[in-house]
Amino acid sequence: MTLPSEMNALLLVGDGYSRNPTGSVLEAMEPYVTPGRIGVPTPTGRQLLIKVSLASINPSDVMFVKGQYGQPRAKGQPAGFEGVGIVVATGDDPMAKWFAGKRIAFATGVSNWGSWAEYAIAEAGACIPLIDEVRDEDAAAMIVNPLTAIAMFGIVKEEGEKAFVMTAGASQLSKLIIGLARDEGYRPIVTVRRDDQAPALLEAGAAHVLNHTAADFADRLKVVMQAEKPRVFLDAQTGPVASQLFFAMPRGARWIIYGRLDMAQTVIPEPGQLIFAGKKIEGFWLVEWMRQGKERREAAVMDAQKRFADGRWHTDVTAVVPLAEAMARVPAELAKPNGKVFIKP
Amino acid sequence: MTLPSEMNALLLVGDGYSRNPTGSVLEAMEPYVTPGRIGVPTPTGRQLLIKVSLASINPSDVMFVKGQYGQPRAKGQPAGFEGVGIVVATGDDPMAKWFAGKRIAFATGVSNWGSWAEYAIAEAGACIPLIDEVRDEDAAAMIVNPLTAIAMFGIVKEEGEKAFVMTAGASQLSKLIIGLARDEGYRPIVTVRRDDQAPALLEAGAAHVLNHTAADFADRLKVVMQAEKPRVFLDAQTGPVASQLFFAMPRGARWIIYGRLDMAQTVIPEPGQLIFAGKKIEGFWLVEWMRQGKERREAAVMDAQKRFADGRWHTDVTAVVPLAEAMARVPAELAKPNGKVFIKP
């Protein structure tokens, strides 16, 4: 197979970090990525060169292209953390060579050769050979969200209480966690912004779905917290709604922030609760979790693939956008609720 | 010795908790305590009845009488958590009887027979027999602040970094911690609100004293944080100054809130730091620390007495106010900086 010397890609506009964080909404593509041509890279060592079939757009991708993701951008390099594709070249390492020709799910990590491109570079250790039963749409989103789901649900299990709280209850990530929770008898209490999001989430295994824009939100919140006594709060949102949830939670509550959908100020609602009720506020970052242990990471990857293959997990698709249309269409597709948006190079 | 049947005391006005927390400043006595007569209690079991020589006024007393201390008030009972005095009666337990006639430092705990009275009740296990070398002024403040100091400095030592941050740097508690830090080669970075508070704190062992009301505060803060890389932030203040300090601290910083001098909103300055920089926010409460281990508590009590006896620790006295004058004078005396206020029954 002859590889081209150049390829089409969406290239990072910014360098390093943003000085003025503007939240997790991708209001437009132009400030952050630009379509361009760039040389196809040559994999070395344990690297794989992948012909990308489908690239995922995760909240972490949006944060990254905006310079808000805790890792610096390299201007002019392709964006995109995750995807599915075929290995078309490898480095010399035997572990890399083993992947030659295979269909894989991959995470590019900090290679700066991202998946929003015709070809991407990933370390063999961050790739999963796929069985045929797994759809491209599931495979392209098989690493970032599933590992985050398994890692954060692990925190819930360690804490011991069956009930736990999540904002952004209709996100793909929340749905994965709801699936895990249902299988093990846990009780997710999730918030959404529209009533029509509730039935599907209750069906999937949520114990309670609270619309945080509803007039009776505060009342329902109080009743649910008193009945369920959740300890862990997995928060993608921050801002006033998250503060209100944390305040309503019982003694010993842990507010674990992993995203920031709301750019409003995030207030500690009653610092006395930290002193006298043993409440805590912390963060979760998948990259840090992955650094802390290869074994549990690999077990999680295996678990994720099985769940997608046998249908316990399923990725809801909002849109598959051709690379050439991505600049024009992606922001509007991302703004739609309940599903995932992919780029097809 | 014949005991009177009644005594003078400052009695709690409120019951349970306050619904509207108003901070740690005692703006007046009348809303919270009232002078009155109450029967002298009879000690049982391990209880001691103490003729109070001097009663301490701690920030935790102020928070408690205002109904903001995490433990409910019992209306009509004497206030005051701590003091020094002579044991004039005991319960039947041999441990209690051993204390008969002795001069002791005591903590009343949740007996609701507090030290702002002619007689107080304390458990023998929460009392320290005193050697003559310890002044009443040191003995009356020998438990709450010293244990808090030893407990919180223990957190600093566990974290490992030599540098750490404290607000309310000129408080008695901060001075105790500065003394501990100096002896073990740690580097306290403390904030104050007036420049004239700095020289004594630098002399006592503070590595840096930052005036948070000064025009160059933000600049000095940045320089000091970059040079010292502190990990633990012991915060009595909350509000915007505390947020600013936490934001300026490096990766992995722990913001440990133990008081709330500032009633302004406390904002999480950049939630992304919790996600990507591993920062955490939590609380410290002495009562909870004491529950977690009798042995380390007793070791800390022993250490505290030695430090006061040999002069390594010393309580600065702002005023000793007779019980009959307490209603009129205490709020103004408490508002003065740098020293401790006592009530003399």
Side-chain angles (χ1 to χ4, degrees), chain A residues 168-170 190-195 197-198 201 209-213:
Chain A
V190 307
T191 64
V192 296
R193 58 198 152 122
R194 298 207 325 252
D195 284 335
Q197 295 173 306
L201 297 174
V209 181
L210 306 176
N211 180 348
H212 67 72
T213 69

Side-chain angles (χ1 to χ4, degrees), chain A residues 149-324:
Chain A
I150 289 168
M152 293 204 301
F153 185 61
I155 296 170
V156 172
K157 289 201 288 185
E158 279 167 22
E159 196 63 44
E161 283 297 328
K162 292 291 178 186
F164 63 101
V165 181
M166 292 194 288
T167 46
S171 73
Q172 283 306 302
L173 178 60
S174 288
K175 287 180 199 165
L176 297 180
I177 296 175
I178 289 169
L180 291 170
R182 177 199 52 209
D183 292 353
E184 303 203 29
Y186 282 73
R187 299 179 60 74
I189 301 158
V190 307
T191 64
V192 296
R193 58 198 152 122
R194 298 207 325 252
D195 284 335
D196 63 10
Q197 295 173 306
L201 297 174
L202 290 167
E203 172 75 18
H208 305 271
V209 181
L210 306 176
N211 180 348
H212 67 72
T213 69
D216 66 348
F217 175 60
D219 293 336
R220 285 198 62 201
L221 181 59
K222 199 172 170 183
V223 170
V224 168
M225 292 296 166
Q226 281 176 358
E228 297 281 355
K229 306 223 181 312
R231 288 283 283 277
V232 172
F233 171 24
L234 305 173
D235 180 27
Q237 184 162 342
T238 68
V241 170
S243 289
Q244 188 178 359
L245 284 163
F246 184 61
F247 179 73
M249 287 178 72
R251 299 183 68 80
R254 284 171 70 187
W255 181 1
I256 300 172
I257 297 172
Y258 70 90
R260 194 178 177 190
L261 293 171
D262 188 341
M263 288 307 287
Q265 275 197 335
T266 302
V267 171
I268 301 174
E270 174 47 74
Q273 290 189 335
L274 276 63
I275 306 173
F276 302 120
K279 293 190 177 186
K280 291 185 169 65
I281 311 170
E282 59 203 283
F284 176 86
W285 189 24
L286 182 64
V287 172
E288 189 55 37
W289 183 84
M290 287 175 72
R291 274 190 198 126
Q292 285 168 15
K294 189 166 174 288
E295 273 179 37
R296 69 177 179 184
R297 184 176 77 232
E298 287 175 355
V301 164
M302 196 62 70
D303 187 25
Q305 178 161 211
K306 281 188 201 146
R307 285 178 171 274
F308 281 116
D310 67 18
R312 280 177 295 166
W313 274 352
H314 179 87
T315 300
D316 295 329
V317 180
T318 294
V320 174
V321 180
L323 184 60

Side-chain angles (χ1 to χ4, degrees), chain B residues 248-303:
Chain B
M249 288 178 72
R251 298 183 69 80
R254 283 172 69 185
W255 180 1
I256 300 172
I257 297 172
Y258 70 91
R260 194 178 176 189
L261 294 171
D262 188 341
M263 288 305 286
Q265 274 196 336
T266 302
V267 171
I268 300 175
E270 173 47 72
Q273 290 189 334
L274 277 63
I275 306 174
F276 302 121
K279 293 190 177 186
K280 289 184 170 67
I281 311 171
E282 59 202 286
F284 176 86
W285 188 24
L286 183 62
V287 172
E288 189 54 38
W289 184 83
M290 287 174 72
R291 274 190 199 127
Q292 284 169 13
K294 189 165 174 286
E295 274 180 35
R296 69 177 180 183
R297 182 175 79 233
E298 288 175 353
V301 164
M302 195 63 71
D303 187 26

